[in-house]
Amino acid sequence: MPSAMEGSEAGEEAEILRYEETEDDNVSPTDLSELLKEGTKESHDRAENTQFVKDFLKGRIKKELFKLATAALYFTYSALEEEMDRNKDNPVFAPLYFPLELHRREALVKDLEYFYGEDWKEKIQCSEATQQYVDRIHHVGQHEPELLVAHAYTRYMGDLSGGQVLKKVAQRALKLPSTEEGIQFYMFDNISNAQQFKQLYRARMNALDLDKNTKERIVEEANKAFRFNMQVFDELDKIGRSLTEEAQDGGVPVHDGKGDLRKCPYYADKLGGSRA
């Protein structure tokens, strides 16, 4: 894939791409992971082509906008993990409950403290688009917990895939410390091998005792999750255009914006299977 990264970093990105293209011969077309991959292709295409994601991948991300995006993630994951905790013993979701490995809320708190200071809670607010996403997550967790699978899948698996590319983009474009302050969200310290973990997650997801109708509803909900994410992207893009021009922290793109733009945190079919 074309990239403005040089040396070892370019090699690392290529390695991610090769891993993501690896075929898994142990899946069936009726497995939930396959249904999700096939059933959300159009949503993937739209998400990867939002202006916010394309600009981010090119290293065109203002620090103020990155801070707002981090706040949006905080509200989103707070809702998601609250509902996951609520349903941790529910058989329709329990096999996918990995709080130690996956939960992001505390990491986002660290990032917000870095960007906003100790009084960060007083400086952030939940945007309109984010609130709609949050409301949907709470509704699902409380009334249709089987659909929580779709939201966990869409978020966490993408974070473990394309999110790792965005980590490097943000760190370089914004000149964030090498000690990883400000990007704790992307750090999964309790997952030693992302590929193996995603394979485990997919196997757990495929083993859920779900009928055909429920699987179809989960796919539909995953498409809704993508739409909510895209609404947040669009909202951030509008805010970004209204911000006064500021010096880009870094200035030099770390990705040329061409090739496989599916490397975004919401491109969730990267579960160790084939590319969509």
Side-chain angles (χ1 to χ4, degrees), residues 125-179:
Q125 60 182 2
C126 190
S127 70
E128 181 179 351
T130 304
Q131 188 63 56
Q132 292 176 359
Y133 192 6
V134 165
D135 289 346
R136 179 59 186 175
I137 291 171
H138 282 310
H139 171 84
V140 164
Q142 295 170 31
H143 302 288
E144 302 176 271
E146 66 278 8
L147 301 184
L148 201 58
V149 174
H151 290 278
Y153 163 85
T154 303
R155 288 298 336 172
Y156 294 109
M157 295 300 98
D159 297 333
L160 284 166
S161 299
Q164 299 307 299
V165 175
L166 290 189
K167 175 184 70 176
K168 296 177 183 179
V169 173
Q171 192 169 34
R172 292 187 60 184
L174 300 179
K175 288 187 175 179
L176 296 174
S178 59
T179 45

Side-chain angles (χ1 to χ4, degrees), residues 60-107:
R60 298 173 183 168
I61 180 72
K62 299 173 183 177
K63 181 168 285 188
E64 189 61 33
L65 199 60
F66 187 78
K67 289 163 62 177
L68 292 174
T70 302
L73 289 170
Y74 167 78
F75 289 113
T76 300
Y77 280 85
S78 293
L80 180 57
E81 290 164 8
E82 178 183 339
E83 297 306 331
M84 290 168 62
D85 289 344
R86 184 195 308 275
N87 289 282
K88 64 182 179 181
D89 298 320
N90 190 322
V92 301
F93 183 77
L96 300 180
Y97 186 66
F98 291 94
L100 184 63
E101 293 84 358
L102 292 179
H103 280 198
R104 298 288 85 203
R105 183 182 180 277
E106 292 308 312

Side-chain angles (χ1 to χ4, degrees), residues 256-269:
D256 66 0
K258 299 179 181 179
D260 188 1
L261 293 182
R262 291 174 178 151
K263 289 179 173 297
C264 74
Y266 307 96
Y267 196 73
D269 91 315

Side-chain angles (χ1 to χ4, degrees), residues 32 91-96 149 203-210 215:
L32 182 56
V92 301
F93 183 77
L96 300 180
V149 174
R204 290 279 190 94
M205 190 164 61
N206 290 340
L208 292 171
D209 186 14
L210 305 171
K215 289 180 180 179

